[in-house]
Structure formats: structure tokens, C-alpha cells
Amino acid sequence: MPSLNFLQEAKQFIRFNTVTTRSNAECALYAGRLLQQHGFRVQHQECREEGHLFLNTLGMLGPDSAPPLLLAAHLDTVEPGDPAAWTKTGRDPWKATVRGDALYGLGSADDKLDFLCKLAAASRFDPARLTRPIWLLGTFGEERGLVGASQFCRVASQRPVMALVGEPSALRLVTRHKGLLVGELTLVRHGIYHTDTAETVYDVAVSGQAAHASTPELGDNAVLRCLTFLQSACGREGVRAGADRRQ
């Protein structure tokens, strides 16, 4: 079985333009071939969106007789932004460049190289000695709502006993993460009232500034701004009364 040339493969992975709205198929198929070279059985899960092909790549090592240990990473990236800001890579976000003991390039930290790190670690195990399988998963669409991971959870043949998910975390092990809170706000008009004319309808648009979930302080949440506006327009007691009725 060939040894993994980590730096060479890192440069190849970063070279693929897998900005999250683009197809990741070329990178995912390459990842699948690399997994096969290191003894993994490989499956691809397809999804088509607006004519674009997206793939989850799943490598399986060891027996199928027990729930697997899932090692997960995503192969898509955020937009690179202004190329002029990529001073370490010669203004090419997809050109992996070594400077000192650091490797620069889009996806080096978030999150392509985590996939390679997990492959390098898992490929050291003898499949015949594993008592439970190791699954290595590379997903698509993480940067736009965990699309590929959600698809994987819907079709996975087994529920993993544990999942190790790679994300930049200053080399600290994180055992829990932010959740998703969905709320519904209803404004209730109290009392009996009558009007001989059509009621006024207000159309209010609230804008904000998008930011990555890891740095929310750099953004301006439009939902919170909307709630502040409603609280101001309707009165604090009115909003609270409506919430109480919902409870």
C-alpha cells in the first residue's frame, strides 16, 4: 500500500476550486481514488442542484459487523474574497504555498486538509485488526447549511457510534457546538375593535450584514434587528403578552 505524500496531496486538494456553490465532483472523485489506494471501500452519494453535480465521498475500512467510528470533514470552501488579499499565495487562493511551518491556501484550515489528516491517521491501521469499522466522510455544501452531511444522515446504512468532525478550533477538542434555534413570533391584537375602512398594511424590510457563524460579531443579525423594531413599534408589553399566549 503506498504511503501518503501529505504535502503533495495537500497542494492537489487545495487546487480544486470547491467554493460551496460550485460542483465539488472533481475533488470528491479524486478523494475517492485516494481512499481506494489506501485500502478503503468507497461509495459516492450524489446530489444535483440546478444542473450542478455534488458528491459526498465515503471511505469504509474494517468490518461491517459493528457501528462505525465516523471521521468527517467537508470538501467545500467559502468564497475566496479579493484575490489581492492572498499575499502569501501570489494572489491565487488555490495555490497551496508553504511559508515557514505554515501552509496557506483556501481550504487549508477549513477544511480540506482535515480530510487528509484523518486519512493519514486511519491508513496506519491494519483493517484485519479492527473490531469496528472506520468511516471517513468528505461532504459537500457544509458552508451553506450542512447540505451534504444532512443527506448522508438520511441515507447512512448505520448510525455511527461516535463522530469526529474537523473544524478549526485552535487544536482544542470541542465536545459540543452551536445549535439551531427556530422560533415563531405572533403579534396579537387585544380587545374588540371595529373599522369601516380597510386596515393599513405595513411592509417592513430589515437588512443586516452576513458573517460566518464562527465570527458573528463581524455581522449584523437582521432577525435581531427586526425583533428590536417590533418591540419598539408594538411596545414591550404587547410583544411579551403575545409570547405568553403562545406558551
Side-chain angles (χ1 to χ4, degrees):
M1 188 178 299
S3 60
L4 181 69
N5 187 324
F6 190 89
L7 183 57
Q8 175 181 309
E9 298 299 345
K11 291 180 177 180
Q12 180 60 59
F13 264 60
I14 291 173
R15 175 50 62 188
F16 292 114
N17 182 344
T18 57
V19 167
T20 191
T21 53
R22 295 171 53 100
S23 171
N24 76 326
E26 188 178 6
C27 180
L29 291 173
Y30 184 88
R33 291 193 294 270
L34 196 59
L35 285 165
Q36 288 178 325
Q37 292 173 10
H38 288 83
F40 287 79
R41 305 180 301 281
V42 175
Q43 294 179 356
H44 294 291
Q45 300 164 351
E46 295 187 8
C47 177
R48 291 189 180 271
E49 299 178 359
E50 300 180 352
H52 297 293
L53 174 63
F54 296 93
L55 297 174
N56 285 332
T57 297
L58 177 64
M60 298 166 286
L61 191 70
D64 293 325
S65 56
L69 168 65
L70 175 64
L71 309 177
H74 62 90
L75 301 178
D76 62 313
T77 71
V78 295
E79 293 278 353
D82 183 1
W86 290 86
T87 57
K88 297 288 197 304
T89 64
R91 300 189 177 187
D92 181 355
W94 296 282
K95 181 183 178 183
T97 304
V98 177
R99 294 291 183 90
D101 59 355
L103 179 67
Y104 296 87
L106 184 59
S108 57
D110 189 10
D111 182 39
K112 291 179 177 178
L113 298 197
D114 179 78
F115 181 90
L116 285 179
C117 287
K118 288 182 166 68
L119 173 57
S123 62
R124 296 179 182 179
F125 291 98
D126 179 357
R129 300 185 64 182
L130 292 175
T131 57
R132 74 170 62 250
I134 294 176
W135 286 4
L136 178 49
L137 174 67
T139 67
F140 69 90
E142 191 271 353
E143 300 290 0
R144 54 187 173 90
L146 301 171
V147 183
S150 297
Q151 176 173 316
F152 170 77
C153 290
R154 289 193 299 270
V155 302
S157 59
Q158 292 193 71
R159 182 182 179 88
V161 67
M162 181 182 293
L164 300 178
V165 182
E167 279 290 304
S169 59
L171 299 180
R172 292 181 295 107
L173 186 62
V174 179
T175 58
R176 58 188 59 84
H177 197 29
K178 296 182 290 292
L180 178 65
L181 175 65
V182 178
E184 180 179 333
L185 176 66
T186 301
L187 300 179
V188 180
R189 189 168 185 175
H190 297 284
I192 300 174
Y193 62 95
H194 174 77
T195 178
D196 294 325
T197 61
E199 290 195 32
T200 302
V201 176
Y202 296 95
D203 186 0
V204 179
V206 181
S207 60
Q209 174 63 48
H212 196 277
S214 63
T215 54
E217 68 278 3
L218 300 181
D220 190 357
N221 192 314
V223 175
L224 296 180
R225 294 189 67 189
C226 182
L227 291 175
T228 300
F229 166 78
L230 291 174
Q231 189 176 61
S232 172
C234 303
R236 182 180 299 273
E237 294 302 323
V239 173
R240 183 182 297 117
D244 291 342
R245 286 173 64 90
R246 293 289 295 173
Q247 294 175 356

